[in-house]
Amino acid sequence: MAPLKPQPLAAWAIFGIAAGFFTIPLIATVIFSLSMKRNGWSFEAYRIVLSDSSFIAAFGYSLAQAIAAVLISTLLIVPAAYWVRLYLPAMKQWVEFITLLPLVIPSIILVFGYLRLYNSASWLPLTSNARSTDALLSFGYVTLAMPYLYRTIDAGLRAMDVRTLTEAAQSLGAGPLNILIRVILPCLRGSILNGAFLTLAIVMGEFTLASLLDRPALGPYLQLIGANRAYEPAALAVIAFSLTWFCMGFFQYFSNWRRGV
Amino acid sequence: MTTGSSFLELVSVQKSFGQTLVVKDFSLTVEKGEFISFLGPSGCGKTTLLRMIAGFETTSAGAIRMAGVDVTGKPPRERQIGMVFQAYALFPAMNVFDNIAFGLKIAKWNRRQIADRVAEMLSLTQLEGLSHRFPFELSGGQQQRVALARALALRPQILLLDEPLSALDAKIRVSLREEIRQLQRKLGLTTIFVTHDQEEALSMSDRIVVLDKGRAEQIATPHQLYNAPASPFIAEFVGKLNRLTMVRGAPHTGELDFDGLKVTANSSLHGGHEGARLIFGLRPEAIAFGEGPAGANRLSAIVEDVDFLGSILRLKLRVGNEILFMDQFNNRRNLIPERQAQVEVYFMPEDLMLLDESAGTA
Ligand SMILES: Nc1ncnc2c1ncn2[C@@H]1O[C@H](COP(=O)(O)OP(=O)(O)OP(=O)(O)O)[C@@H](O)[C@H]1O
Ligand SMILES: [Mg+2]
């Protein structure tokens, strides 16, 4: 490989443009969110947002949805990806294709499909009460998160020698369940945390499913505020952004801490 | 039902992947406490055979019995085997203690028993003090010791090792193989060891199974294998060998023509016609300097090259148009022959091993 000629000026220029592309709108949003009062800077917009009990409720609801989606996805995808890798390598491309479908099919179509299949007059009337609609929403989020979770988990499986580890465990008397729980899952901690973070990011901002299933999630709340207020949406955006970064740092920390990094 | 003292029996075992027959009609009887090596070139089916014994591959035909019980269709976890892999296969998220304790936890031993047994295994494999380390904090040799301890913790009936030393560097490989052998003797453990390293197989085994293209070419002690190879393939595969093409002289005299020189082979050489081309094998260490006793075949040779291997001196000799390799023990009182020097060497007729009688006519 030929070493690249160092061109510091051009490199810095490109870096500066890219950085500006991301940071300028962000800085503008922060400034705007702080200028609610006419006479100088203030946290008034933040105060209003954080003291609104329906924000707290919507945030909590979406967080619970995200956690449920991560748990269900993990239970579903880890065994599936493991099984495919070990016993059905020929099926791998088909499984990958299927896990990509949620990216191709708009969620509006997904949710109309749900409403047709699970309406109160159907054989499985999931939308007939609030709790079962919550469950349906979680399943929807599992579907939306699948492309990301499947990929992070599959990458985690690729990083270890699944076959040999499985055989080693089998020779020590372990059955499939024990192998999954004791051997495979602990090795996937980092991958699952990464996938969980992506799922969290998707679920916290998701609008279509929650809105059409009429559940009090953060997405519809943001939309409502955005349509009716000026400064509060900017404050909300900054809060969401900070929380996102906080979560990312948090996951990074926990996925590395075992190795003492 | 037990059949005599044989502990592991493979009866006409076969394995095919699709159309290709990878293991052909393989039969073997292993005594309790015996150390058996599977030796053979890459792709000859060693791993496949071992995996069939472990239960990771099904058998296409034939039967496998352990301690008199037919285990042919049983899954690995019902076979009470200990398995050690080339790539260690330690559980990455568990420390040394938990790795060794894994099988014991699955078997629902209680905490005290587990702690005692793990401590015993740690001392047996000289890993004391490392029980809280994670696999990535260990050297290759240490990891393989942990794998060994883990495999032995449950007191398996049979220990199966698939090239456990090939990922290690030369020094560790030799010391660990001695350790494995000592441990195996101490525990009286029936062991099958897969390797493509003939030195490893020769030094460790009670008996060696040489495989070629899925077939057992010879099953013998290291000594028999080296000194009385059953086939030309084995003669050439195990140890270094000179190939000598000779032309038969008058029948029944055992006299041969080696590039213009008269040579005698063992008199058991019968039949064949005058002028037939024969191929013989001769071990490098069967050649020595000097005239030798009466009846020795004497050659005068030119030293082409000298390879000093430490304890051994390997000389490349030219005899007429033929090249012969000769091994001598290093002796610091003797001078190393110069290149191009003329030397007199000899070998005994009985050291010639007939490899091929059908090499045509001169
Ligand atoms: N799962 C499989 N499907 C198809 N063919 C296989 C499979 N496993 C092994 N083989 C074939 O069987 C033959 C024997 O393989 P095996 O791994 O037993 O060889 P080996 O003696 O262990 O070789 P090496 O020294 O390289 O490890 C090879 O030709 C290999 O390609
Ligand atoms: Mg192999």
Side-chain angles (χ1 to χ4, degrees):
Chain A
M1 202 166 62
L4 286 172
K5 224 185 220 171
Q7 289 186 328
L9 216 69
W12 280 109
I14 292 168
F15 177 75
I17 291 168
F21 187 79
F22 287 109
T23 53
I24 291 170
L26 196 64
I27 293 166
T29 307
V30 172
I31 291 173
F32 185 70
S33 74
L34 293 172
S35 37
M36 190 169 183
K37 283 191 173 162
R38 303 221 155 186
N39 46 356
W41 308 118
S42 79
F43 284 102
E44 183 63 13
Y46 292 86
R47 195 192 59 73
I48 293 173
V49 166
L50 291 174
S51 62
D52 181 357
S53 66
S54 53
F55 167 74
I56 309 291
F59 187 85
Y61 180 84
S62 285
L63 193 64
Q65 279 289 346
I67 292 169
V70 168
L71 290 180
I72 299 170
S73 303
T74 306
L75 287 179
L76 211 63
I77 293 173
V78 171
Y82 169 73
W83 208 259
V84 168
R85 214 156 235 296
L86 204 56
Y87 299 112
L88 303 168
M91 294 287 293
K92 197 165 176 300
Q93 47 183 323
W94 290 106
V95 173
E96 279 187 357
F97 175 73
I98 291 169
T99 62
L100 278 178
L101 285 179
L103 292 182
V104 184
I105 298 172
S107 40
I108 186 88
I109 291 177
L110 184 72
V111 73
F112 272 103
Y114 281 178
L115 288 173
R116 265 194 85 91
L117 265 178
Y118 303 121
N119 65 49
S120 45
S122 70
W123 60 277
L124 188 59
L126 281 178
T127 56
S128 60
N129 71 63
R131 289 287 77 79
S132 59
T133 312
D134 288 343
L136 184 57
L137 186 57
S138 301
F139 297 147
Y141 288 152
V142 168
T143 310
L144 292 188
M146 192 162 63
Y148 308 99
L149 258 175
Y150 179 82
R151 253 149 211 82
T152 51
I153 287 171
D154 195 51
L157 287 172
R158 193 174 334 140
M160 57 190 187
D161 188 349
V162 175
R163 172 169 299 276
T164 318
L165 288 178
T166 300
E167 289 179 353
Q170 282 174 340
S171 74
L172 294 165
L177 201 62
N178 263 320
I179 296 176
L180 262 176
I181 292 173
R182 291 178 192 238
V183 177
I184 304 297
L185 213 51
C187 301
L188 291 176
R189 197 179 42 232
S191 313
I192 292 171
L193 280 172
N194 280 332
F197 167 69
L198 287 168
T199 308
L200 189 73
I202 293 166
V203 172
M204 293 314 268
E206 205 281 332
F207 171 75
T208 318
L209 289 188
S211 172
L212 285 167
L213 290 175
D214 193 25
R215 299 309 301 146
L218 192 60
Y221 174 83
L222 291 176
Q223 198 275 337
L224 187 73
I225 297 291
N228 298 305
R229 307 287 186 85
Y231 296 95
E232 287 87 341
L236 269 174
V238 173
I239 292 171
F241 186 80
S242 317
L243 278 175
T244 307
W245 277 91
F246 172 77
C247 291
M248 189 136 65
F250 184 78
F251 287 150
Q252 280 302 324
Y253 178 75
F254 270 99
S255 56
N256 286 334
W257 120 102
R258 194 73 184 261
R259 304 219 144 178
V261 175
Chain B
M1 182 204 79
T2 53
T3 45
S5 61
S6 66
F7 190 67
L8 170 68
E9 272 180 283
L10 288 90
V11 187
S12 299
V13 169
Q14 305 236 22
K15 179 72 192 179
S16 42
F17 290 111
Q19 298 290 321
T20 34
L21 203 55
V22 168
V23 172
K24 299 163 195 159
D25 193 25
F26 184 91
S27 294
L28 173 71
T29 307
V30 181
E31 309 283 306
K32 187 152 179 55
E34 217 179 353
F35 192 112
I36 301 277
S37 289
F38 289 172
L39 177 66
S42 187
C44 69
K46 307 180 291 289
T47 298
T48 307
L49 251 176
L50 197 77
R51 290 168 56 81
M52 284 197 282
I53 298 171
F56 296 127
E57 302 281 3
T58 55
T59 49
S60 306
I64 299 173
R65 281 196 281 273
M66 277 178 200
V69 181
D70 191 323
V71 297
T72 314
K74 285 194 182 174
R77 61 199 171 104
E78 289 171 27
R79 296 194 183 196
Q80 294 181 47
I81 45 148
M83 184 103 187
V84 176
F85 301 84
Q86 179 176 352
Y88 319 135
L90 296 181
F91 305 130
M94 295 180 203
N95 64 21
V96 170
F97 184 98
D98 290 331
N99 262 285
I100 299 175
F102 182 83
L104 309 174
K105 285 180 186 163
I106 298 287
K108 302 215 160 58
W109 289 31
N110 70 36
R111 272 169 157 278
R112 261 213 70 85
Q113 289 173 315
I114 290 177
D116 289 349
R117 183 67 179 155
V118 172
E120 190 185 341
M121 296 320 297
L122 287 170
S123 94
L124 203 61
T125 48
Q126 299 168 33
L127 287 165
E128 291 109 328
L130 298 182
S131 70
H132 293 291
R133 295 262 192 103
F134 280 86
F136 69 92
E137 298 171 313
L138 299 173
S139 74
Q142 288 168 333
Q143 289 187 55
Q144 201 56 298
R145 272 168 220 256
V146 176
L148 194 63
R150 182 180 68 177
L152 294 177
L154 267 175
R155 301 195 178 90
Q157 298 200 52
I158 295 179
L159 181 63
L160 305 173
L161 307 103
D162 191 357
E163 306 206 22
L165 306 175
S166 27
L168 302 170
D169 60 55
K171 257 231 155 74
I172 309 274
R173 208 179 314 165
V174 173
S175 69
L176 197 52
R177 89 181 179 209
E178 282 162 7
E179 238 175 86
I180 291 176
R181 180 63 161 141
Q182 270 174 18
L183 208 63
Q184 181 268 340
R185 282 216 174 97
K186 189 162 144 191
L187 302 174
L189 199 61
T190 312
T191 302
I192 296 185
F193 185 96
V194 165
T195 179
H196 60 251
D197 181 336
Q198 39 150 315
E199 189 188 305
E200 230 164 70
L202 289 172
S203 80
M204 295 176 87
S205 319
D206 291 319
R207 282 189 300 156
I208 299 174
V209 178
V210 182
L211 286 152
D212 185 31
K213 301 190 189 85
R215 198 184 297 281
E217 283 273 325
Q218 188 172 7
I219 303 177
T221 65
H223 191 265
Q224 285 169 340
L225 201 66
Y226 189 84
N227 292 311
S231 72
F233 168 80
I234 291 173
E236 287 186 81
F237 186 73
V238 181
K240 194 160 175 67
L241 194 75
N242 291 303
R243 279 176 77 96
L244 286 69
T245 306
M246 305 205 195
V247 178
R248 189 191 285 272
H252 306 299
T253 59
E255 204 158 84
L256 299 155
D257 179 292
F258 176 56
D259 201 36
L261 292 163
K262 283 276 166 284
V263 163
T264 46
N266 207 328
S267 55
S268 67
L269 206 60
H270 294 302
H273 53 86
E274 196 168 338
R277 201 190 281 274
L278 303 178
I279 295 177
F280 287 89
L282 182 64
R283 296 284 183 205
E285 68 272 21
I287 306 175
F289 288 122
E291 297 225 305
N297 291 307
R298 302 190 178 103
L299 306 172
S300 143
I302 306 287
V303 177
E304 287 256 307
D305 207 349
V306 182
D307 203 358
F308 184 64
L309 304 173
S311 62
I312 284 194
L313 205 57
R314 175 158 292 166
L315 295 110
K316 187 176 172 190
L317 303 177
R318 172 173 296 283
V319 179
N321 294 318
E322 303 274 342
I323 296 291
L324 288 182
F325 285 94
M326 163 180 174
D327 284 355
Q328 285 290 291
F329 275 123
N330 175 41
N331 182 343
R332 55 184 182 158
R333 279 172 293 278
N334 291 353
L335 288 175
I336 293 178
E338 301 271 337
R339 274 184 213 175
Q340 301 309 325
Q342 170 135 9
V343 291
E344 302 298 320
V345 297
Y346 75 92
F347 60 88
M348 300 309 291
E350 60 269 27
D351 286 330
L352 281 176
M353 300 183 276
L354 181 59
L355 298 183
D356 195 351
E357 281 189 279
S358 53
T361 309

